[in-house]
Amino acid sequence: MFKSNNVTARLFERQICTPSPGTSIHRARRFYENIVPSYTVYDVECPDHSFRKFTDDGLYLVSFSRNHQDLIVYRPTWLSFSCKDEDCDIHDLPSKARKFESFFTQLYSVTLASSGELICKDFFLYMESNQFGLFATSTAQIHDVPPTGGAIQGVPSVEKITFHLLRLEDGAILDERVFHNDYVNLAHSVGAFLYDDLLAIVSLRFQRIHILQIRDSGDLVDVRAIGEFCREDDELFLNSNSQRVQCLKKKFYFHFQDYIDLIIWKVQFLDRQHLLIKFGSVDGGVSRNADSHPSFFAVYNMETTDIVAFYQNSADELYLLFELFSDHFHVSSRSSLHMNFMSSHSNNIHALEQLRCTKNKATSFPQFVKKMMASLPFSCQSQSPSPYFDQSLFRFDEKLISAIDRHRQSTDHPIKFISRRQPNILKFKIKPGPEAGSTDGRTKKICSFLFHPILPLAISVQQTLFLQASVVNIHFRR
């Protein structure tokens, strides 16, 4: 633990003191207590794009055109200008500081959508080792479609869903995978999970988990499909042993019908062999409010086709695993250098205290467990690795801002980041929206925050529900 808050003293201490084994990166992250976004450029002049996120290594800023046709990728840079006086801090920033191009350089623009498709602006997965990006386009949903070809009754259909694999360095489209008359939940990347070079895509309409491998060459290669059949000879076995299968069904316990009525909702990798699969009713699978529906979790071994464990969403045992080993549910790579420091209640005492406080306040423990389990399986790459969300360094109001990639209800008041080591010291604040605040307090506003994973740089975007122009602010260290 540093004894001084002076950054010069910290640098000197780093030179003369050797950290304990395995703690050097954690100690380095403590420098972010001194290096914070200290200045805001309000209402930046920028292109009318939908800004998605920074990649986890900070090399790229991904955005989409407002007509949901084009992908636009930027390289983060830094504002630079000259000053002849000794004290440049007393001067206002030059006029070019209000321009988006002073902070970001456009690398390219690529048209992804075609033939009536639109880019899903919430879908983006990043393969850090190869700097590949996975994007999705789709046509409109069609409801009340008859369940032909083995489809599930009550699940919408999309005529065409296309997954595009790009090399982000130059925008080259390396491969594509198309699903016809299917339904994949693309919102917030719910329907796909990336682990190292393995990609799982959940077909809700046909109840299949498609496992693909992303080769270094940029090819998408089929590995297996998990659904009606799990082994290559399953169909042959069932057809040749139909009487034996029926006999097994009759002897199975009385909840069998309840289980076969379940459908796959969501999936994530736990490692290269095991999947965590969430099951529930058809209504819950396509509903935005799935929390109110009963659900079940299965740990499935893809190699042996065995279900290793099976839990209801109110199971105390599953919650205990979630509380003690939360980081295992967040894993998306064995080699990422940037995603290993996200705060959770299994690696951060402050997050654990917050969880236990919520648990103690709950009037019903089973309901509390169900609420916690509603977040499982976690969406892939849904949290920012920015050190400013490290709860061992800073305290902030998680109702207004957090590492989770979601829109928030906007506020006209600045969001404060308080030092953990000095509980009364304000380190910095982020204010979305116009500098003087909104003139119409009755208009409902939402905001999103994009924090760079390494630099003291963040973008806040405030928008209304009436398609008015967004207010984009850039927060950085001056």
Side-chain angles (χ1 to χ4, degrees):
M1 180 66 71
F2 290 109
K3 298 178 181 179
S4 173
N5 289 314
N6 183 280
V7 68
T8 305
R10 286 186 161 190
L11 288 169
F12 181 70
E13 185 177 2
R14 185 177 68 175
Q15 294 297 318
I16 63 175
C17 297
T18 302
S20 303
T23 65
S24 58
I25 297 181
H26 290 279
R27 289 192 59 160
R29 283 172 66 86
R30 291 194 176 278
F31 278 87
Y32 283 98
E33 292 179 317
N34 294 81
I35 305 172
V36 299
S38 59
Y39 192 87
T40 298
V41 179
Y42 290 95
D43 204 3
V44 174
E45 298 176 19
C46 67
D48 187 21
H49 294 163
S50 175
F51 297 104
R52 178 65 184 94
K53 67 182 296 185
F54 290 102
T55 55
D56 296 332
D57 53 16
L59 294 178
Y60 306 99
L61 172 64
V62 172
S63 67
F64 306 113
S65 60
R66 285 294 181 185
N67 63 3
H68 298 166
Q69 298 289 311
D70 305 318
L71 162 70
I72 305 99
V73 174
Y74 293 90
R75 175 83 73 192
T77 52
W78 201 259
L79 178 68
S80 62
F81 62 97
S82 60
C83 176
K84 296 181 180 180
D85 297 332
E86 292 184 1
D87 188 2
C88 294
D89 289 339
I90 64 174
H91 294 280
D92 291 333
L93 293 178
S95 58
K96 72 172 186 177
R98 294 184 55 84
K99 296 183 180 296
F100 185 81
E101 294 78 13
S102 294
F103 295 88
F104 301 93
T105 301
Q106 180 175 325
L107 297 181
Y108 53 83
S109 176
V110 177
T111 299
L112 290 184
S114 61
S115 304
E117 290 183 282
L118 297 175
I119 294 175
C120 176
K121 63 183 181 64
D122 292 330
F123 186 96
F124 168 57
L125 296 179
Y126 181 56
M127 191 175 180
E128 185 177 328
S129 58
N130 297 87
Q131 297 182 15
F132 292 164
L134 187 72
F135 303 90
T137 59
S138 72
T139 56
Q141 290 186 26
I142 305 173
H143 296 274
D144 301 324
V145 180
T148 57
I152 299 297
Q153 177 72 44
V155 177
S157 178
V158 178
E159 182 180 352
K160 184 181 180 184
I161 302 170
T162 307
F163 292 93
H164 310 262
L165 185 69
L166 272 75
R167 185 170 55 225
L168 289 189
E169 181 182 13
D170 55 9
I173 298 177
L174 304 175
D175 203 353
E176 295 179 343
R177 182 56 53 94
V178 179
F179 293 81
H180 292 287
N181 302 313
D182 207 333
Y183 183 81
V184 178
N185 191 350
L186 299 176
H188 303 291
S189 307
V190 166
F193 197 95
L194 181 65
Y195 182 89
D196 288 338
D197 59 344
L198 295 178
L199 174 67
I201 298 176
V202 179
S203 162
L204 281 177
R205 181 165 168 77
F206 293 101
Q207 285 295 286
R208 296 191 189 104
I209 303 171
H210 298 272
I211 306 296
L212 297 90
Q213 185 181 31
I214 303 176
R215 297 284 178 84
D216 290 343
S217 59
D219 296 314
L220 291 169
V221 180
D222 289 313
V223 176
R224 59 168 53 88
I226 303 167
E228 184 179 3
F229 308 114
C230 298
R231 295 180 184 267
E232 294 181 355
D233 60 348
D234 278 353
E235 186 174 11
L236 176 63
F237 173 82
L238 292 174
N239 290 336
S240 59
N241 297 273
S242 57
Q243 292 183 347
R244 178 181 170 191
V245 172
Q246 292 299 324
C247 181
L248 289 172
K249 286 183 179 180
K250 290 178 181 178
K251 294 181 178 179
F252 203 45
Y253 48 89
F254 64 93
H255 281 305
F256 180 75
Q257 187 61 42
D258 295 334
Y259 291 136
I260 63 172
D261 287 341
L262 299 175
I263 69 167
I264 298 171
W265 283 1
K266 195 176 176 183
V267 67
Q268 76 167 92
F269 283 101
L270 295 176
D271 55 35
R272 295 185 69 86
Q273 287 78 39
H274 294 89
L275 298 174
L276 178 65
I277 306 174
K278 189 173 188 177
F279 295 89
S281 65
V282 174
D283 293 338
V286 297
S287 171
R288 291 189 175 185
N289 187 23
D291 299 355
S292 59
H293 296 267
S295 58
F296 300 84
F297 296 90
V299 178
Y300 177 77
N301 187 316
M302 296 189 297
E303 302 297 333
T304 64
T305 69
D306 292 330
I307 292 181
V308 180
F310 193 80
Y311 306 95
Q312 193 165 358
N313 64 335
S314 58
D316 295 354
E317 182 182 357
L318 180 60
Y319 170 76
L320 183 61
L321 293 172
F322 172 74
E323 182 175 306
L324 295 176
F325 307 105
S326 177
D327 290 348
H328 291 264
F329 294 95
H330 281 287
V331 67
S332 61
S333 173
R334 297 175 296 177
S335 58
S336 174
L337 299 177
H338 305 92
M339 304 300 291
N340 297 332
F341 303 98
M342 294 183 298
S343 297
S344 73
H345 42 262
S346 60
N347 67 26
N348 187 281
I349 186 62
H350 305 289
L352 180 60
E353 288 177 354
Q354 187 175 4
L355 175 70
R356 289 178 174 172
C357 180
T358 304
K359 180 167 65 173
N360 294 334
K361 290 180 179 179
T363 55
S364 168
F365 183 70
Q367 289 300 320
F368 167 78
V369 171
K370 289 181 180 180
K371 183 179 179 181
M372 292 295 104
M373 295 302 100
S375 60
L376 292 179
F378 285 121
S379 295
C380 186
Q381 300 178 7
S382 61
Q383 289 188 280
S384 168
S386 168
Y388 302 111
F389 293 121
D390 188 334
Q391 295 193 42
S392 63
L393 301 179
F394 302 99
R395 176 170 55 86
F396 45 86
D397 188 346
E398 289 202 75
K399 295 179 181 178
L400 302 177
I401 193 170
S402 77
I404 299 176
D405 178 21
R406 287 291 190 274
H407 291 295
R408 304 281 173 156
Q409 184 174 344
S410 186
T411 173
D412 290 332
H413 304 289
I415 301 172
K416 299 178 180 180
F417 286 74
I418 310 295
S419 170
R420 280 287 187 189
R421 294 199 307 126
Q422 300 169 290
N424 297 320
I425 301 297
L426 172 66
K427 285 297 183 178
F428 69 101
K429 52 189 177 182
I430 295 288
K431 183 182 182 302
E435 183 173 10
S438 175
T439 57
D440 186 3
R442 297 170 299 175
T443 303
K444 187 175 182 180
K445 300 177 288 291
I446 58 173
C447 60
S448 57
F449 302 92
L450 288 73
F451 275 71
H452 194 278
I454 302 168
L455 301 175
L457 174 68
I459 302 173
S460 63
V461 182
Q462 185 190 69
Q463 58 194 85
T464 66
L465 302 181
F466 301 104
L467 301 180
Q468 298 176 5
S470 300
V471 176
V472 178
N473 301 332
I474 295 181
H475 316 269
F476 67 105
R477 180 174 175 81
R478 179 173 173 175

